[in-house]
Amino acid sequence: MANTTLGTVWNLPNYTGELYTSDVKNTPFLSMIGGLTGGMMTQNFEFATDSTYSHETAAQPAITETASLTAPTAISYVRGQDKNVTQIFQEQVSVSYVKMSNAARLEGINTAGATNNVISEKDFQIAMALEKIARDVEQTFLTGVYQIATASNVANKTRGMIALCTVNTVDASAVKLSKELMDTLLLEMFNNGAYFKNMVLFCGGFQKQLISNIYGYAPTDRNVAGVNIKQIETDFGNIGIADPHRFMPAGTIGLFDMSAIAPVFQPVPEKGNLFYEELAKTGASESGQIFGQIGLAHGPSFLHGTITNLATS
């Protein structure tokens, strides 16, 4: 069914029967980092994601006794800083008084004793708006592209994990995922300083099937077949494998260190963050909005990695 704007008795029919949707409701990445209720707080739409420094190339010193009588030239370690931004997530809910007062008017099959599958239309619409925001946050945290506001008519856009991975990324050039490609990414991440603290791999359905095929082995039980790889043990540590994710680009695999990732919320004073409030009355309807400002703290790029441009069939 098509979605609509202001809900009336004519465009929001009531039905009996259990509610289902074929759209994605689960937000596993967001859930792993605290959801819409847990995370960091900021009072500035720009926030630091990390502060990094670099050492000189490691080398064996060759200091003579004579040379040691004079202190060497000082080395000062310069720190840098990377940042991200919060962005606005906003939805309006509007239901007419007439619609709200016709909860017993049912469409479709009306068997004796049937009841509306939604007790309160307003509460249902608010819950669906929150579900939409959670889906949008999940999509943004994975595929969002950074943009900073320079004026009131320019939107802040938070950087997602795939766009972050500029240090460790392997271009598959349209070939299928293989252990060789995985090994290449892992070695590149190791060489560039990744910590491998709490690594989780995210991918879509086709790539998840390939991972099970690449790393799987036949069960010993003759009555059980198939594999579902949930963890890979590598030379650099264990890697968790998330369930197939419908928001991940089909040709991309993301390997993210979850210990460095958290949502960042920017609350409105005396209101909080991701709050619902009534809007001004303009007629016979209940109208309100949900408003929140959320960004992604992701740590430095070298902690994470991607394989892109993979074959998808």
Side-chain angles (χ1 to χ4, degrees):
M1 298 293 290
N3 295 324
T4 184
T5 52
L6 189 151
T8 70
V9 70
W10 304 109
N11 61 23
L12 285 181
N14 297 323
Y15 293 101
T16 185
E18 191 167 351
L19 287 167
Y20 292 93
T21 180
S22 61
D23 294 321
V24 181
K25 293 175 61 177
N26 296 331
T27 54
F29 182 85
L30 179 61
S31 297
M32 284 186 192
I33 61 175
L36 292 176
T37 57
M40 302 162 58
M41 296 290 178
T42 182
Q43 292 183 320
N44 182 348
F45 66 75
E46 288 186 273
F47 58 89
T49 60
D50 60 80
S51 182
T52 58
Y53 63 92
S54 298
H55 279 287
E56 303 293 310
T57 302
Q60 181 181 13
I63 303 171
T64 66
E65 180 182 5
T66 301
S68 71
L69 299 176
T70 303
T73 302
I75 297 175
S76 295
Y77 295 89
V78 181
R79 299 176 300 281
Q81 186 185 71
D82 295 312
K83 63 182 182 178
N84 207 350
V85 293
T86 62
Q87 68 170 73
I88 294 172
F89 293 87
Q90 184 178 19
E91 297 293 332
Q92 182 180 167
V93 172
S94 189
V95 183
S96 75
Y97 288 170
V98 174
K99 167 60 187 171
M100 295 168 67
S101 60
N102 276 276
R105 180 183 175 87
L106 300 179
E107 302 289 336
I109 298 174
N110 295 318
T111 305
T115 58
N116 187 351
N117 57 20
V118 170
I119 298 174
S120 165
E121 189 66 48
K122 178 182 174 182
D123 290 347
F124 174 77
Q125 296 300 331
I126 291 173
M128 293 305 99
L130 285 168
E131 197 169 275
K132 179 185 184 301
I133 288 174
R135 284 164 43 87
D136 290 344
V137 171
E138 181 86 352
Q139 179 78 63
T140 300
F141 281 4
L142 291 172
T143 65
V145 177
Y146 177 82
Q147 177 176 289
I148 187 168
T150 55
S152 62
N153 61 348
V154 179
N156 278 317
K157 297 170 68 175
T158 202
R159 181 187 300 103
M161 294 303 301
I162 294 173
L164 170 69
C165 294
T166 57
V167 175
N168 303 314
T169 185
V170 174
D171 188 338
S173 301
V175 303
K176 275 191 176 182
L177 179 67
S178 64
K179 188 173 184 300
E180 288 73 21
L181 281 171
M182 288 290 293
D183 288 345
T184 298
L185 174 63
L186 291 169
L187 183 59
E188 183 174 305
M189 293 176 68
F190 172 79
N191 289 338
N192 288 327
Y195 296 167
F196 296 98
K197 280 188 176 180
N198 182 17
M199 305 304 297
V200 177
L201 187 149
F202 290 86
C203 63
F206 181 72
Q207 307 304 336
K208 178 62 174 70
Q209 288 181 321
L210 290 180
I211 288 171
S212 289
N213 290 336
I214 292 167
Y215 291 98
Y217 60 89
T220 56
D221 190 330
R222 290 179 179 271
N223 298 313
V224 179
V227 292
N228 177 18
I229 299 301
K230 292 289 190 180
Q231 181 174 288
I232 302 172
E233 185 169 343
T234 77
D235 297 299
F236 310 106
N238 292 336
I239 297 171
I241 311 296
D243 290 336
H245 200 306
R246 292 184 175 92
F247 288 164
M248 281 292 293
T252 299
I253 278 179
L255 190 54
F256 309 138
D257 191 334
M258 306 306 288
S259 67
I261 305 172
V264 177
F265 303 103
Q266 187 175 2
V268 176
E270 300 180 5
K271 292 181 181 293
N273 196 60
L274 212 60
F275 56 89
Y276 177 84
E277 66 178 0
E278 299 289 340
L279 294 174
K281 292 286 184 186
T282 58
S285 66
E286 289 280 356
S287 295
Q289 67 174 349
I290 299 171
F291 182 87
Q293 299 170 96
I294 309 171
L296 180 65
H298 44 55
S301 178
F302 69 81
L303 295 180
H304 318 284
T306 55
I307 302 176
T308 60
N309 296 324
L310 286 161
T312 58
S313 63

